[in-house]
Amino acid sequence: MIVDVHENDIAMKSELVAALYATPGTILIGTVTVTAVMIAAGLLTGNDLVFYAMAAAMVAVGCFRHISHHHYKSIHLTSASVGDIDRLEKLAMAGAWSTAALIAAFGAYAILRYTHEPVAVLAVAQTIGYLAGISGRNSSRPVITRVQVLAAATPFTLALLWTRDPAYLVIALSVALTAVLTFSSAQVIHQIFVARLRSIRELEHLAVNDTITSLYNRRGFMREIRAVAASGRPLTLISIDIDRFKGINDSLGHDVGDALLKAVSETLIADLAPGDIAARTGGDEFMVATTRSVDDATALAARLVMLLASQRFIGGRHITATASMGIAPAGCAPSIEEALKCVDIALYRAKLDGRNRFVVYTVAIRDEHEDSLALETELREGLRRGEFELHFQPIYNPRSGSAMLVEALLRWKHPYRGMVSPEIFIPLAERTGLITVLGSWALGEAMRTALSWPSSIGVSVNVSARQFDHGHDLVGTVEALIRMSGIEPARLTIEITESSLIDDPDHVVSRLVALRKLGVRIALDDFGTGYSSLSYLAHLPIDTIKIDQSFTQEIGTSRKADSLMNVITQLAHDLELRLIVEGVETQEQLEVIKKHAVHGIQGFVFARPMTAEELLPMIGTRVATGRTRASRSGWRKSDRFSQVA
Ligand code: C2E
Ligand code: CA
Ligand code: CA
């Protein structure tokens, strides 16, 4: 599953053995010429049967080498076993050595028996020619060449010496020298050959492997899964994405980022089975392909989510990096390309659902995904066509009974989907980055509308975490909008949630400080739903906390909520923060809340969000009775999902 260039001996050997079989033509020519020379020798010597027998043996060896070559072609070297490769090598050795032995026998026999006859010249010419030709052919396996040289040269040289003929002694010397040369040149050629092969292997390795983790890269992964798919085996894909990796990389440095990638790959490798394919396919993206059952693959993903979420010690600090995963079960798509899209959709969904989890691809998920893609396009169109508007929900001062602040809430009047809930399009706008445009528009529109209200009433605008991104100048935008509208800055409240503070708290806090310098107020929205401790509140540059509606629902029904309410009011008092309770729906809740020292009450019990026109007559009136005055035409939260269905 993981390729290491130094553990690549089998692949290397298979290439070396392949070289033995690379030039089948030379074997054919060799067999034909040697056989012809032997037959010629038979004819020259008046039909010496020994030569004919040698010719027959040569034909047999030629056939054997031909059959070996056939066998070689029937084996796929890339998937050949060690046994296959060894066998092929032995076959090549046997062929080469028996040829050498026959040539040696021919040469020695001709010299000894027909020392001064023309056939001896044939023998000398053939043996020297053969020795010279060996060096190139089998240099990938020098052992073959060496034995060949020894087998061919030794008996022949001995035979030449045996004749004691001075001319033959000279030839013996030349044969011996040729043998020695061939011996050493075989080694040199072999070294060059192996070095080239090794660098080719290294390049190939780099092309398909990731340098940081030594897993396959995307190319290697594609090659491997295509091979499995071609074999018809069902393949389940798991895509793994480290959550907020960019933040870790940017804030802790690339060394820590790389070490984290390595640690993640080690966790992956430790949990893989033989045949599983693992890869790092992108910056912080990993892939696993497995032929295990979908249930096993799901169990693997569940285990990986758990393992990856545990803390690790990297670069001298503890780092927790969770991961999100998508699973494309085998058979979910007709092709690998389609399956990769499925796994992307599932991963996307896992991130959307809050990260640190896995999601198994289904047709329903795909449909929702496509729907949200369509919605995304429409969101851009809608912005261009001015389909957005603000609704307003007053927040009342429980002591005076009159409105003190009005929250601006975005609405999307979609041409055929009807009114789309902000809970659907805000996350969409955040993902696509359109939130900065939309959010700036909401800020400006809210300030403009507030100018038609009594100056004692402020306007509160929601701001998303992404509006604090480095690329967007929120403070500059707010400043410009205040100047353009001419509104008194203290009338503007900006509502943020704790989620804004997660990624880069220092940066966000500095922006909040700058906003307050402009005179703008800051409210912490949805208080009580976050995870942070109460103690951090003291350090935040905020003016107001808004208690979340989920908490409000508990008031009056749970004793714990009531006592927590005491703690929060005390805390707000100590920190000199305004306290607003939102989502107050019933008279009972209102009665309980009024007993506490809260500064503002917001909820259906007084008013639902309404249009700017509907709001105007309302903000002059007092609501001390607490009877519901919901707007008839206002968009209702309970309608939210039916409207987008
Ligand atoms: P939020 O900031 O918590 O806004 C309060 C939500 O509670 C509003 O939902 C409001 O209609 C609803 N609500 C008010 N009183 C009651 C009540 O008594 N009972 C119940 N059950 N609900 C009540 P809405 O208008 O659907 O907005 C949903 C969320 O969309 C907002 O939650 C806010 O997070 C986001 N949002 C709305 N407008 C904007 C905006 O301009 N910018 C950004 N970034 N987010 C916005
Ligand atoms: Ca809000
Ligand atoms: Ca809220």
Side-chain angles (χ1 to χ4, degrees):
M1 72 200 131
I2 296 130
V3 184
D4 183 328
V5 72
H6 302 296
E7 290 171 5
N8 225 345
D9 292 347
I10 299 173
M12 187 88 162
K13 186 165 179 193
S14 85
E15 299 235 11
L16 292 173
V17 169
L20 296 177
Y21 288 92
T23 49
T26 58
I27 291 179
L28 181 71
I29 294 170
T31 307
V32 170
T33 48
V34 173
T35 310
V37 166
M38 287 168 172
I39 292 172
L43 293 171
L44 280 174
T45 53
N47 294 331
D48 183 338
L49 288 179
V50 175
F51 289 127
Y52 293 139
M54 285 176 178
M58 193 60 223
V59 170
V61 170
C63 289
F64 169 78
R65 297 183 87 176
H66 179 72
I67 293 167
S68 306
H69 195 266
H70 220 73
H71 178 60
Y72 160 77
K73 284 214 287 201
S74 70
I75 292 177
H76 280 285
L77 273 187
T78 41
S79 56
S81 67
V82 186
D84 287 336
I85 294 165
D86 274 349
R87 197 168 52 251
L88 283 171
E89 188 184 29
K90 287 201 179 102
L91 288 173
M93 279 177 181
W97 292 346
S98 26
T99 304
L102 270 173
I103 286 171
F106 170 72
Y109 178 72
I111 293 291
L112 292 177
R113 177 87 205 271
Y114 302 99
T115 312
H116 294 294
E117 288 178 41
V119 75
V121 179
L122 269 184
V124 170
Q126 163 142 299
T127 313
I128 293 185
Y130 175 74
L131 283 174
I134 291 171
S135 57
R137 234 199 82 73
N138 294 330
S139 51
S140 62
R141 304 306 278 155
V143 58
I144 298 184
T145 309
R146 287 183 184 156
V147 176
Q148 263 177 310
V149 169
L150 285 177
T154 318
F156 186 63
T157 313
L158 289 177
L160 288 171
L161 294 175
W162 185 263
T163 63
R164 306 227 177 125
D165 182 312
Y168 281 160
L169 293 184
V170 173
I171 294 175
L173 192 67
S174 125
V175 167
L177 278 177
T178 310
V180 171
L181 276 179
T182 309
F183 223 90
S184 62
S185 72
Q187 183 60 27
V188 173
I189 295 177
H190 173 74
Q191 276 162 356
I192 295 171
F193 192 91
V194 168
R196 273 204 54 193
L197 207 59
R198 191 155 273 154
S199 55
I200 290 173
R201 289 247 132 218
E202 255 160 24
L203 282 179
E204 279 173 355
H205 180 86
L206 280 178
V208 294
N209 286 270
D210 170 42
T211 40
I212 294 180
T213 62
S214 88
L215 297 174
Y216 284 120
N217 62 16
R218 176 167 282 278
R219 235 172 106 183
F221 182 71
M222 290 308 296
R223 187 191 68 188
E224 295 300 308
I225 60 172
R226 286 221 169 87
V228 178
S231 74
R233 274 174 294 165
L235 206 55
T236 293
L237 300 179
I238 307 175
S239 174
I240 302 157
D241 191 285
I242 303 176
D243 299 329
R244 301 199 170 87
F245 180 74
K246 197 180 168 300
I248 295 174
N249 223 9
D250 289 351
S251 58
L252 302 180
H254 292 261
D255 288 348
V256 175
D258 287 359
L260 177 63
L261 291 173
K262 254 192 223 130
V264 169
S265 75
E266 276 154 21
T267 309
L268 279 186
I269 293 167
D271 233 331
L272 294 186
D276 287 353
I277 302 162
R280 174 167 165 247
T281 48
D284 60 343
E285 220 184 271
F286 293 82
M287 280 279 212
V288 171
T290 177
T291 50
R292 291 189 248 181
S293 73
V294 177
D295 285 347
D296 284 357
T298 312
L300 170 68
R303 210 166 43 248
L304 286 175
V305 166
M306 194 187 70
L307 287 174
L308 293 178
S310 52
Q311 210 180 44
R312 39 189 101 237
F313 194 68
I314 293 174
R317 56 171 82 221
H318 290 283
I319 293 177
T320 314
T322 59
S324 305
M325 298 174 203
I327 301 179
C332 73
S335 69
I336 283 288
E337 280 67 28
E338 292 293 316
L340 285 168
K341 280 184 199 148
C342 297
V343 83
D344 274 351
I345 292 174
L347 172 64
Y348 187 72
R349 182 57 172 263
K351 290 193 218 168
L352 216 60
D353 287 353
R355 302 185 171 106
N356 190 19
R357 69 193 63 221
F358 68 89
V359 165
V360 183
Y361 170 86
T362 61
V363 176
I365 288 179
R366 186 198 58 206
D367 290 348
E368 281 168 34
H369 179 77
E370 280 166 5
D371 204 41
S372 110
L373 285 187
L375 205 64
E376 192 182 311
T377 320
E378 289 164 10
L379 186 68
R380 290 176 203 274
E381 289 281 292
L383 255 169
R384 217 169 33 80
R385 287 199 293 250
E387 288 167 8
F388 290 87
E389 60 180 52
L390 285 182
H391 280 202
F392 298 91
Q393 186 181 31
I395 299 167
Y396 291 95
N397 177 333
R399 308 272 164 261
S400 68
S402 50
M404 52 176 280
L405 195 64
V406 175
E407 179 170 5
L409 294 156
L410 263 170
R411 297 290 178 263
W412 182 8
K413 270 189 168 164
H414 191 278
Y416 59 84
R417 289 178 197 254
M419 210 52 115
V420 183
S421 160
E423 283 183 331
I424 286 175
F425 72 79
I426 296 283
L428 199 63
E430 285 173 343
R431 280 206 307 279
T432 55
L434 284 173
I435 190 68
T436 49
V437 186
L438 195 57
S440 303
W441 177 82
L443 278 162
E445 182 71 5
M447 291 183 214
R448 200 184 58 75
T449 311
L451 289 177
S452 56
W453 309 334
S455 62
S456 60
I457 299 177
V459 65
S460 200
V461 187
N462 295 284
V463 164
S464 283
R466 289 215 48 188
Q467 287 173 267
F468 288 95
D469 280 358
H470 288 265
H472 176 64
D473 180 14
L474 178 66
V475 181
T477 306
V478 170
E479 190 178 11
L481 290 170
I482 289 175
R483 211 176 39 238
M484 272 152 58
S485 63
I487 196 172
E488 170 65 33
R491 285 180 70 192
L492 176 64
T493 298
I494 281 180
E495 296 192 11
I496 63 156
T497 56
E498 281 176 63
S499 63
S500 299
L501 293 153
I502 292 175
D503 282 345
D504 192 352
D506 293 344
H507 168 71
V508 173
V509 165
S510 79
R511 300 299 78 202
L512 296 179
V513 170
L515 284 168
R516 287 177 91 202
K517 277 215 184 94
L518 297 177
V520 175
R521 296 178 194 223
I522 309 292
L524 185 65
D525 202 1
D526 301 344
F527 183 74
T529 55
Y531 42 82
S532 305
S533 66
L534 291 177
S535 59
Y536 85 112
L537 268 182
H539 307 291
L540 283 183
I542 57 172
D543 308 272
T544 306
I545 40 185
K546 292 184 77 172
I547 295 183
D548 188 65
Q549 16 185 301
S550 59
F551 185 78
T552 311
Q553 306 309 317
E554 307 256 308
I555 291 175
T557 59
S558 115
R559 192 173 291 175
K560 207 171 132 208
D562 293 345
S563 56
L564 246 171
M565 191 68 201
N566 282 327
V567 175
I568 295 171
T569 44
Q570 185 59 48
L571 187 79
H573 180 264
D574 293 347
L575 297 175
E576 296 178 6
L577 296 172
R578 284 197 303 186
L579 188 62
I580 295 175
V581 182
E582 71 175 353
V584 184
E585 292 182 352
T586 66
Q587 205 63 41
E588 293 75 45
Q589 289 166 349
L590 184 61
E591 292 311 321
V592 178
I593 289 161
K594 272 162 97 183
K595 292 200 190 99
H596 293 279
V598 306
H599 306 86
I601 297 178
Q602 176 183 9
F604 295 169
V605 70
F606 292 139
R608 286 174 181 269
M610 61 193 87
T611 63
E613 294 78 55
E614 289 166 335
L615 177 76
L616 265 187
M618 286 213 48
I619 46 179
T621 48
R622 290 151 64 97
V623 290
T625 59
R627 200 157 288 138
T628 309
R629 291 217 193 159
S631 148
R632 289 287 127 226
S633 62
W635 177 82
R636 278 160 184 71
K637 190 161 180 154
S638 56
D639 297 336
R640 180 175 299 146
F641 295 104
S642 59
Q643 280 161 339
V644 286

